Amino acid sequence: MSTAILTGPPAPGSSLDGDLRSLGFDVRIASGAEEAGALLAAVPAGERVALVDPRFVGHLHALRLTLTDPRFPAAAAPGALTAQREARPALARALEEVSTTAGATGSGTLTDAHGLTDSLAEALDADGVAVHRPQLGTLVATVPTDAEARHEARAAVAAVDDEAVRLRSAVKAHDGFFTTFFISPYSRYIARWCARRGLTPNQVTTASLLTALIAAGCAATGVRGGYIAAGVLLIVSFVLDCTDGQLARYALKYSTMGAWLDATFDRAKEYAFYAGLALGAARDGDDVWALALGAMVLMTCRHVVDFSFNEANHDATANTSPTAALSSKLDSVGWTVWARRMIILPIGERWAMIAVLTAATSPRIVFWALIIGCAFGACYTTAGRVLRSLTRKARRTDRAAQALADLADSGPLAGIAGRIFGRAGLRMLPGFVAAFIATGALLAAVLGRPFGGQGAVVGAAIYVIFAGAAVARPLKGALDWLVPPLFRAAEYTTVLVLAARSDSPQAVPAAFGLVAAVAYHHYDTVYRIRGGTGAPPAWLVRVTGGHEGRTLLVTVLAALLADRGDDFTLALTALAVAVALVVLVESVRFWVSSGAPAVHDEGETA
């Protein structure tokens, strides 16, 4: 139970007491500064506390947005202020300071014209506590000081349906065409239905995952009826996927567990469906595991491009570019907005395409359409971002450089190589140039040499050297955001090519599992950084070897087990299980801990 302290008795006819109780607050009334401080001190330290001006007039949803959002330690709107555990000490100091000032001036009350809550919010800001002030839009939140102002405020409240506003705000402001026009018009009502029955976003997220896994199982049957059921269930899973976020925004139910589930389940669902399609095709005698793995590699690398570019530029200073200005101008022209969102094949359009093609065609066609469409989208977005980076004048911060280094996932071998060969002059290479050389040398060796040859091992050794040189100095160059995606492309493609060239038919499915485990680790790193908690612990990167360590290990295994394809498959499987266990255990430990961010992913539409 949270506690709300009214700084005086409510005005006659006011519903404020009932509104606060409907939001889950235990309401108490203070008659003066001393009593308000005593009530605040009596509230258990771990609970949320709110102070509300008894003259407050506004929408219930305005109070909800201000007083119940769990993501912010402190929040305020005209006439209302809340503080969670971490902001409670600052609130106590602010209340004492404001009350002392009021006593010194002889006002004797807590409801002066300026308002206690406004004074407290200013004091919290001055004390270094970030006070969140929600964007209320057409919602009303005000403290009228006379009867006429109160009458006008109540008329303004009556003129706006806050439930309609609440429903609209449950939907992302920027989403894909398919999601906006074919899912959100009704999924928001499903979210409200869930909220009124006490369902949580985590339950809906789990239902979405289970639905997608059932869809993958239907696809694995390899029969037309199974493919049709899989396509239908995939769309249902996507509707639930949209609903969970809308429910979180509608009910303001954000949680650390929800952040983890929402951040990882989208990829788990999609990649599990790829595996189901590959299993179904195998039942029909068509081996498409290499295409399934290729689609996963392409999708993951594309996401890393998005993440790296955004991390490199979101807090850059002097961040101007003619290309960015043109892009913003195009976004102001009606049809170009949707064309530009659809052309990159975001998650809504992508899942719709997969569902329709699964029901109507074959897994091979699904994967080729997916690879072609996503490759075009990846080239479009990457080319645009490269052009922006070359034309903009931006100075990247140390935080951005550290984020890119964390996304690179460089292990101990890269650290040693950077220290040794950095002194030989490789340190002078721009980060993206060294990463490009490393990736080119590795892929040329893997693609240009017979399976199991020593050339691939030599290429991997060169990769380690230049990968170390790439991160030997801060990644602040204009194109250094390309370093993480180049490393992802190098590692994943190496595993794919070596497995595909093995004489064991099960090598590629084993490689699919390995890349899935490593990709989970990389997505987990992304969402930790986006949540503001930094990268996974250094020991995890050391234990998993870093991208260069795993790549070198796989090439060595291919060379040692070239004539024993089944043993190579077994080695890939063992490596996949080991990586999956380590990263999953650490990920679960982090996301259920108190240090994880209580945010619901509002990220890219891809």
Side-chain angles (χ1 to χ4, degrees), residues 58-61 136-140 153-166 168:
H59 287 99
L60 174 62
H61 192 49
L136 299 180
T138 57
L139 296 176
V140 176
R154 287 177 173 173
V157 170
V160 176
D161 183 353
D162 69 338
E163 178 60 20
V165 173
R166 189 181 179 191
R168 287 196 303 270

Side-chain angles (χ1 to χ4, degrees), residues 161 163-168 170-171 183-197 239 242-243 246-247 250:
D161 183 353
E163 178 60 20
V165 173
R166 189 181 179 191
L167 270 175
R168 287 196 303 270
V171 179
I183 304 296
S184 292
Y186 57 87
S187 62
R188 70 184 73 181
Y189 295 100
I190 299 176
R192 182 171 66 180
W193 183 90
C194 292
R196 290 177 174 176
R197 283 153 183 81
V239 172
C242 294
T243 300
Q246 291 165 358
L247 175 57
Y250 180 85

Side-chain angles (χ1 to χ4, degrees), residues 289-294 296-297 301 439 442-443 445-447 451-452 456 460 463 486-504 506-519 522 544 546-558 568-569 571-576 579:
W289 274 105
L291 291 177
L293 180 50
M296 183 165 67
V297 169
C301 291
T439 301
L442 174 64
L443 295 184
V446 170
L447 292 169
F451 174 77
Y463 176 76
L486 283 171
F487 288 163
R488 296 296 84 77
E491 179 183 2
Y492 298 164
T493 304
T494 296
V495 175
L496 166 60
V497 172
L498 292 177
R501 288 188 169 186
S502 170
D503 59 6
S504 171
Q506 299 303 316
V508 179
F512 187 96
L514 175 58
V515 172
V518 175
H522 290 145
T544 56
H547 68 94
E548 79 289 351
R550 292 187 298 268
T551 302
L552 181 61
L553 177 59
V554 171
T555 57
V556 170
L557 289 173
F568 180 60
T569 298
L572 289 179
T573 303
L575 183 58
V579 171

Side-chain angles (χ1 to χ4, degrees), residues 8 58 62 101 110-111 124 137 249 329 339 358 445 448 482:
T101 302
L110 292 175
T111 54
L124 288 177
R249 289 183 286 273
K329 184 176 181 180
T358 296
L482 287 169

Side-chain angles (χ1 to χ4, degrees), residues 14 172 178 290:
S14 171
K172 281 184 181 180
F178 179 78

Side-chain angles (χ1 to χ4, degrees), residues 205 209 241 257-271 519-525 527 584 587-588 591 601:
T205 302
L209 174 66
D241 180 60
M257 179 64 74
W260 174 53
L261 297 179
D262 188 63
T264 56
F265 277 14
D266 278 354
R267 303 288 84 80
K269 289 180 286 190
E270 187 166 0
Y271 298 158
Y520 177 88
H521 166 56
H522 290 145
Y523 280 114
D524 186 54
T525 300
Y527 289 112
L584 278 173
S587 178
V588 171
W591 286 103
D601 176 36

